[in-house]
Amino acid sequence: MTYDAEATKQRIFAAAAVEFAEHGLAGARIERIAAGARANKQAIYLYFGSKEKLFGAVVAAKLQEICHVVDLDPRSLPDMVGVLFDWYQEHPELVRLLLWEALESGDGPLQGEQTRADAYRDNVRNMAAAGLTDERQARDWLFTILGLVAWNFSVPQLRRLVLDEPDPAKALARRRAVVVDLARTLTANAPVDD
């Protein structure tokens, strides 16, 4: 049987995503990642360099996944916010990874920060080019929209307490409708060029 380096990297990556989402960077263990990936620890260091670089690669990849799903065009923003909401609901690991990253890094530098910042700048430029008055407004919209959606999955205990809804599925369905409606209101008041 031949060794498949790419398959090993993919297994390591998948196991790392689960481990980091569950335990964060500090709590994650290379031994558990290796066991989950059916690989040895040396392969992890060979392919990714360090636990920190692996964490950064996992977060960046999860963010890239969502970028391929959602195009935040102001002309179809409510629909895209619904898609974003659904994606977060189906992929709760991204919110967990971002929360761990925030807790462990604070406002300090991040692995792959420049690449991620450039991707957000591209999103902002695309939103502004689609008709928002300027890039500053587009930045504010993007950050607000991400917060409106992600908050629903960041604090499920607060969602349960505030909404006082015993059925989590009904609570999320209501929240999705509210967030999409807020996006509709936001775009209704925006100066979008045709």
Side-chain angles (χ1 to χ4, degrees):
M1 179 194 284
T2 60
Y3 179 76
D4 186 343
E6 190 56 38
T8 301
K9 284 170 68 172
Q10 290 175 2
R11 287 194 318 272
I12 290 169
F13 199 82
V18 170
E19 178 73 8
F20 289 134
E22 183 70 25
H23 301 284
L25 176 59
R29 297 292 172 257
I30 291 294
E31 295 81 13
R32 288 193 299 248
I33 295 171
R38 298 179 326 275
N40 62 49
K41 293 188 320 186
Q42 291 76 17
I44 294 171
Y45 292 111
L46 173 68
Y47 296 133
F48 296 99
S50 69
K51 185 169 80 165
E52 292 77 14
K53 288 181 181 176
L54 178 55
F55 180 80
V58 166
V59 173
K62 289 295 176 184
L63 289 169
Q64 275 294 63
E65 278 181 40
I66 199 167
C67 288
H68 293 295
V69 172
V70 177
D71 176 26
L72 293 176
D73 183 333
R75 293 168 290 212
S76 59
L77 191 63
D79 294 332
M80 291 302 97
V81 167
V83 170
L84 185 63
F85 193 100
D86 296 341
W87 194 92
Y88 271 98
Q89 188 170 2
E90 293 169 16
H91 300 88
E93 68 277 5
L94 178 57
V95 169
R96 292 184 62 89
L97 289 166
L98 291 173
L99 290 171
W100 279 117
E101 181 181 65
L103 288 169
E104 295 181 18
S105 299
D107 199 24
L110 306 170
Q111 286 289 326
E113 182 166 339
Q114 189 59 52
T115 302
R116 286 169 58 185
D118 290 344
Y120 286 122
R121 285 185 192 99
D122 288 344
N123 287 334
V124 164
R125 277 193 288 276
N126 291 341
M127 288 177 74
L132 293 178
T133 56
D134 61 29
E135 287 189 14
R136 171 83 45 209
Q137 183 182 24
R139 281 186 198 94
D140 288 337
W141 276 37
L142 180 58
F143 192 73
T144 299
I145 290 162
L146 292 174
L148 280 172
V149 173
W151 187 248
N152 292 283
F153 306 100
S154 301
V155 287
Q157 77 286 12
L158 190 58
R159 183 183 68 222
R160 184 184 72 247
L161 295 170
V162 171
L163 299 181
D164 197 21
E165 173 65 64
D167 183 343
K170 285 183 181 177
L172 279 173
R174 261 195 8 249
R175 289 299 307 147
R176 184 188 191 281
V178 167
V179 170
V180 168
D181 193 48
L182 286 170
R184 188 171 290 110
T185 300
L186 186 63
T187 55
N189 296 320
V192 178
D193 298 328
D194 288 320

